[in-house]
Amino acid sequence: MGALRTFLDRIEPHFSKGGKWERLFPLYEMVDTIFYVPGTATAVAPHVRDAVDMKRSMFTVIIALMPALVFGIYNTGYQADPGAGFLQNVMTGGSAVVPLILVSYIVGGLWEVLFAVIRRHEVNEGFLVTGLLLPMTLPPDIPLWMVAMGISFGIVIGKEVTGGTGYNIFNPALIARAFIFFAYPAEMSGDPVWTLADDLTAATPLAVAASVPGDDAVSLVAAAGYTLKDMFVGLIPGSVAGTSTLAVLAGAVVLIVSRIANWRIMAGGLIGLVTAAILANLLAPASENTMLSLSPLYHGVMGGFAFGIVFMATDPVSAAQTDKGRWIYGILIGALCVMIRVLNQAFAEGIMLSILLGNAFAPMIDYFVLRQNIAKRQKAYAKQ
Amino acid sequence: MKKTLDTFAGPLSRSNPITTQVLGICSALAVTVKMDTALVMSGALVFVLVGSNVIVSALREVIPSRVRIIVMLTIIATLVIFIDELLKAYLYDISKQLSIFVGLIITNCIVLGRAEAFALKNTVWESSLDGLGNAMGYGLILLLVSAARELFGSGSLFGFQIIPDFLYVEHGGWYVNNGLMLLAPGAFIILGLLIWLQRTINGYTEE
């Protein structure tokens, strides 16, 4: 490692002010700070009061994503051919998932470096996470050029137009996913997209639960062969890494222990989900809509709720910033997720749209929390 | 001469009614899925805007200022109904696709805005240039937005297939049309990118 440091120090003058490659400084800075903790403090949001810098904290997120990703690769192969052995499944899954991740990193990275060089800012660390989150939320079967379109849209429209990392209103990875979802709906929803095999169609548990009006959602899911345990472990068709609640929980532990993601958002999301699902259950007898009868437990383990609330909703830039605001923000997302799943038949899954809506409301939630706090303190001051 | 040129050319770019003044957005979103509807809509607006500017300007000495809005709206409405009937008679299909949006030119902020802000204070010649410039500035943006939306959303321009058939998934290729471009948000995104481009070129910054 000492030789690398010497090398980086020796070439540094070329990239710093006045050097011949001054414009490419972001590239140098990126390589330098990946290998070594920089001596400077983070200048723009998100701020974390800690000894780690943004790159270190984003790496922790990557580590937290690993269980879900590894399981997702296995599950992708498993869904294509449940009969094949473990190694075979990992190979099949890997050959489908790794290209998605590569395309996302390479195309997104090009945009990042382009903007960094033109706007003379550093390459944003958050991209390490954004570039991995997007492929993890896509169907494994998606054409690679759509991934390229999506990540381009997410980086340019979702992030750079509003000023880059720290200024984005929405989670860029979700903006990218939403773009692909609305631009190419045939590749993002419906039964055939969730498995690699062309002749094999598999409905996601959420789609199954909504399939026969007037029936009971839980028995529909059971009849399709999805047990609660399967759905918790994640051996169900779905997006690449969003199916396994278990693997996501492992990542959540890493994020909460390292204090990189805020547990209040996750807890709030769970409260919102359970409350909304119970309310829906109460309404169930009055309607033909089977989704109303789905119990909170099922809502929690089906679809991408766990993945979304742990990894997407907790994005430090687009989430609410006050503690009370985080509770409200989380509850809002959890409740909206159930509402979209249950009431809007056009969307089987609701977590993507509910987080985007939560992002849109986050600044307003913070504003009212702050106003309320100011009003409270003014009152206390007046009493003296 | 310079000023006359500015009256006409200014609205094409620097003071464009859509990208700079952000007027007429409603119709810019609604009629830009296909280029032919955008072109007919632009034509209708050229007729109405030039007509209303010329008539209002010619009558500017006799219109009592207290009832000027009503008078101007009457003039605009007359022109709009005229062009609407004309489209129904000669371009029935496109008129059906444009549906209510030709009629809604009456409430298009650009038309009333130019009558109020320009035609009431300037000569007939200058007003006609201003009307033509603004209507063409509007039409230019409409055509750019609709070109992008039709090309990426339907693979064609003016109804002619541009992206070759063999590229499409249905014919063994890999390409799929971008469905987002057919929805209103697609127009917003294209419009936003155009504004970005224009401001980068013109060096415009928000005060």
Side-chain angles (χ1 to χ4, degrees), chain A residues 313-363:
Chain A
T314 53
D315 170 15
V317 180
S318 54
Q321 309 287 328
T322 53
D323 275 351
K324 202 186 276 179
R326 287 181 175 125
W327 281 109
I328 302 170
Y329 168 84
I331 291 171
L332 184 74
I333 290 175
L336 277 173
C337 175
V338 171
M339 271 179 65
I340 296 170
R341 282 177 178 181
V342 169
L343 298 178
N344 193 331
Q345 302 296 324
F347 304 115
E349 175 58 289
I351 187 68
M352 171 181 80
L353 296 170
S354 66
I355 295 174
L356 287 174
L357 282 166
N359 287 166
F361 280 111

Side-chain angles (χ1 to χ4, degrees), chain A residues 65 68 133 136-137 241-243 248 303-313 351:
Chain A
L65 280 166
L133 276 178
M136 288 176 78
T137 59
T243 58
V248 169
F305 169 76
F307 189 85
I309 200 77
V310 169
F311 292 113
M312 307 290 236
I351 187 68

Side-chain angles (χ1 to χ4, degrees), chain A residues 11-32:
Chain A
I11 62 168
E12 206 223 322
H14 295 307
F15 291 98
S16 49
K17 228 170 170 54
K20 52 185 162 177
W21 298 316
E22 186 191 334
R23 295 220 67 161
L24 295 178
F25 178 74
L27 274 178
Y28 169 80
E29 197 271 346
M30 176 179 76
V31 175
D32 186 20

Side-chain angles (χ1 to χ4, degrees), chain A residues 54-357:
Chain A
M54 280 290 295
K55 266 195 190 74
R56 254 33 68 172
S57 74
M58 288 304 169
F59 268 135
T60 315
V61 180
I62 302 275
I63 292 166
L65 280 166
M66 278 309 129
L69 181 62
V70 171
F71 182 86
I73 287 174
Y74 165 68
N75 186 47
T76 303
Y78 177 81
Q79 293 304 326
D81 182 10
F86 176 80
L87 265 181
Q88 183 60 39
N89 281 339
V90 171
M91 296 292 285
T92 323
S95 63
V97 175
V98 171
L100 297 182
I101 297 173
L102 283 181
V103 166
S104 172
Y105 268 142
I106 291 170
V107 176
L110 284 177
W111 285 110
E112 281 284 340
V113 170
L114 186 70
F115 273 94
V117 169
I118 291 175
R119 292 191 166 165
R120 295 162 192 265
H121 62 56
E122 297 165 4
V123 173
N124 299 137
E125 300 79 356
F127 173 67
L128 284 174
V129 174
T130 306
L132 185 60
L133 276 178
L134 174 69
M136 288 176 78
T137 59
L138 295 174
D141 212 9
I142 190 145
L144 294 177
W145 69 275
M146 290 182 188
V147 182
M149 294 283 291
I151 193 75
S152 304
F153 189 87
I155 298 294
V156 178
I157 307 281
K159 198 166 79 177
E160 292 297 342
V161 285
T162 50
T165 299
Y167 300 98
N168 46 306
I169 309 161
F170 299 103
N171 184 327
L174 270 182
I175 285 286
R177 190 183 193 277
F179 173 80
I180 307 176
F181 184 85
F182 287 107
Y184 310 109
E187 301 289 339
M188 285 293 280
S189 49
D191 296 346
V193 304
W194 304 112
T195 52
L196 289 175
D198 281 338
D199 50 348
L200 199 63
T201 64
T204 61
L206 277 170
V208 170
S211 56
V212 186
D215 213 325
D216 173 54
V218 175
S219 51
L220 279 173
V221 173
Y226 299 129
T227 64
L228 204 54
K229 181 174 145 275
D230 276 354
M231 292 191 287
F232 178 70
V233 175
L235 287 172
I236 48 172
S239 55
V240 166
T243 58
S244 172
T245 312
L246 180 67
V248 169
L249 282 179
V253 171
V254 175
L255 288 183
I256 292 172
V257 169
S258 64
R259 298 212 180 168
I260 280 169
N262 198 291
W263 61 273
R264 291 177 186 84
I265 295 173
M266 301 183 203
L270 209 55
I271 294 173
L273 178 105
V274 170
T275 317
I278 290 174
L279 282 176
N281 290 166
L282 293 177
L283 293 170
S287 164
E288 285 280 277
N289 186 346
T290 55
M291 284 299 286
L292 282 170
S293 63
L294 204 60
S295 75
L297 189 61
Y298 277 73
H299 269 295
V301 296
M302 285 159 77
F305 169 76
F307 189 85
I309 200 77
V310 169
F311 292 113
M312 307 290 236
T314 53
D315 170 15
V317 180
S318 54
Q321 309 287 328
T322 53
D323 275 351
K324 202 186 276 179
R326 287 181 175 125
W327 281 109
I328 302 170
Y329 168 84
I331 291 171
L332 184 74
I333 290 175
L336 277 173
C337 175
V338 171
M339 271 179 65
I340 296 170
R341 282 177 178 181
V342 169
L343 298 178
N344 193 331
Q345 302 296 324
F347 304 115
E349 175 58 289
I351 187 68
M352 171 181 80
L353 296 170
S354 66
I355 295 174
L356 287 174
L357 282 166

